[in-house]
Amino acid sequence: MKAHLAGLVFTFTVCGCSYANKPPSVPKDVKAFLDNAEDCQHFSGEWDSTLSAARQNEIEKKVETVCDQARRQKEKLKKRYYGNKMIEAQLDDYDF
């Protein structure tokens, strides 16, 4: 009997921990925004005046494309998910 009880306690503990550590799911459109926002930050931080002119141009084009797309996505998502505190907080983590 004690072995069965110990097994049940173990099972519920493991299941409970794995559920508690599971991040909340994010809608696809929000995930796409987060990816673009991260790329925007990455490429923005990559620019350096010591880089070759060709590399600077490449980075500037990438920043312009990705950051503009992220800005447009953020505007739409702020309207779509107005009142959803979790998503609003994720969107507010990025300022362009």
Side-chain angles (χ1 to χ4, degrees):
M1 179 72 169
K2 287 183 181 181
H4 292 294
L5 183 57
L8 285 173
V9 169
F10 175 77
T11 301
F12 288 127
T13 302
V14 171
C15 291
C17 290
S18 65
Y19 178 76
N21 292 331
K22 183 179 178 185
S25 61
V26 177
K28 288 181 183 179
D29 54 353
V30 175
K31 173 75 170 110
F33 162 75
L34 295 173
D35 290 343
N36 282 332
E38 288 293 324
D39 287 346
C40 176
Q41 286 186 337
H42 169 78
F43 287 112
S44 296
E46 204 174 292
W47 198 94
D48 187 329
S49 61
T50 62
L51 296 172
S52 69
R55 182 65 180 144
Q56 287 178 356
N57 286 335
E58 183 182 327
I59 292 171
E60 286 173 4
K61 287 178 184 177
K62 193 69 170 172
V63 166
E64 186 177 310
T65 301
V66 175
C67 293
D68 284 347
Q69 186 174 8
R71 265 190 285 279
R72 288 190 307 273
Q73 288 173 312
K74 183 177 179 178
E75 289 175 23
K76 290 179 184 178
L77 294 172
K78 295 261 306 168
K79 291 175 187 173
R80 179 176 294 153
Y81 294 102
Y82 179 78
N84 184 323
K85 299 299 180 194
M86 182 192 78
I87 292 177
E88 285 179 339
Q90 289 177 319
L91 298 176
D92 290 340
D93 281 344
Y94 298 94
D95 189 27
F96 306 102

